[in-house]
Amino acid sequence: MPGKPKSKRRSGCPVSISLERFGDRWSLLIIRDLMVRGFRTFTEFEESREGIATNILADRLHKLQAHGMIAAEVEETDGRRVNYRLTEKGIDLAPVMLELLIWGSRHENAGLSCAVIENMAKRREQVLAEVRRRWRARDSTPLLPAFAPSRGL
């Protein structure tokens, strides 16, 4: 595992420290993709609709790993392939990510069904429990379809 990057903290404020660790757009999108979309590989992140450049992707994966938010695991069936996984520290961001999803849907033209997001907002604890269950089970099935209103959740 790469060593931790040396960084001088701006302050001792927990919000400031948190933003130093994962506050840039790309890091949050990588965490989202691991948590919600079930992405695991460099190629999946690279080919997402976000259009992240490969050098930035590699840098953010390295930083997230160095800060203990994700882990890189060699795939058992193909030793040349690396799969990324959230650590306990990374999965603890689930409530933050859910609130960002809800906030963005309510206050911006996000393009995602407001009914799906409002359904998730009404069932925050169930959504978070399902995120953790999938993480523990290493289930990479995308999360959002499970919380569509037609499924009764």
Side-chain angles (χ1 to χ4, degrees):
M1 182 168 134
K4 284 196 174 191
K6 294 179 180 164
S7 65
K8 186 177 178 182
R9 292 184 174 160
R10 284 177 275 224
S11 73
C13 171
V15 173
S16 179
I17 293 168
S18 298
L19 290 173
E20 288 174 10
R21 295 295 178 253
F22 63 81
D24 70 281
R25 144 184 156 168
W26 295 119
S27 294
L28 286 172
L29 292 174
I30 290 168
I31 292 167
R32 175 209 61 194
D33 288 347
L34 284 163
M35 191 178 295
V36 177
R37 292 184 170 168
F39 288 8
R40 296 290 176 258
T41 67
F42 188 95
T43 301
E44 288 174 319
F45 296 117
E46 182 183 21
E47 293 176 352
S48 78
R49 296 177 302 207
E50 302 299 341
I52 187 170
T54 57
N55 62 322
I56 293 172
L57 175 57
D59 178 69
R60 293 318 186 277
L61 288 169
H62 172 78
K63 285 180 180 176
L64 288 169
Q65 189 176 357
H67 289 299
M69 297 165 84
I70 66 172
E73 301 173 341
V74 175
E75 188 172 300
E76 291 177 16
T77 59
D78 182 352
R80 299 167 297 173
R81 190 169 163 171
V82 173
N83 291 314
Y84 294 94
R85 174 173 162 71
L86 290 168
T87 61
E88 183 82 29
K89 187 175 180 179
I91 200 67
D92 280 347
L93 288 168
V96 174
M97 297 304 291
L98 179 58
E99 293 306 320
L100 284 171
L101 181 70
I102 293 166
W103 184 90
S105 176
R106 286 181 178 166
H107 300 290
E108 301 295 330
N109 184 10
L112 187 60
S113 167
C114 290
V116 171
I117 303 304
E118 283 308 312
N119 188 49
M120 292 174 79
K122 290 176 188 172
R123 294 164 176 77
R124 282 175 169 85
E125 294 306 315
Q126 286 175 293
V127 172
L128 294 173
E130 179 62 10
V131 166
R132 282 210 177 265
R133 184 200 67 77
R134 288 173 188 231
W135 176 73
R136 282 190 302 273
R138 295 177 173 261
D139 180 350
S140 61
T141 306
L143 178 69
L144 284 175
F147 286 91
S150 63
R151 300 266 174 112
L153 292 175

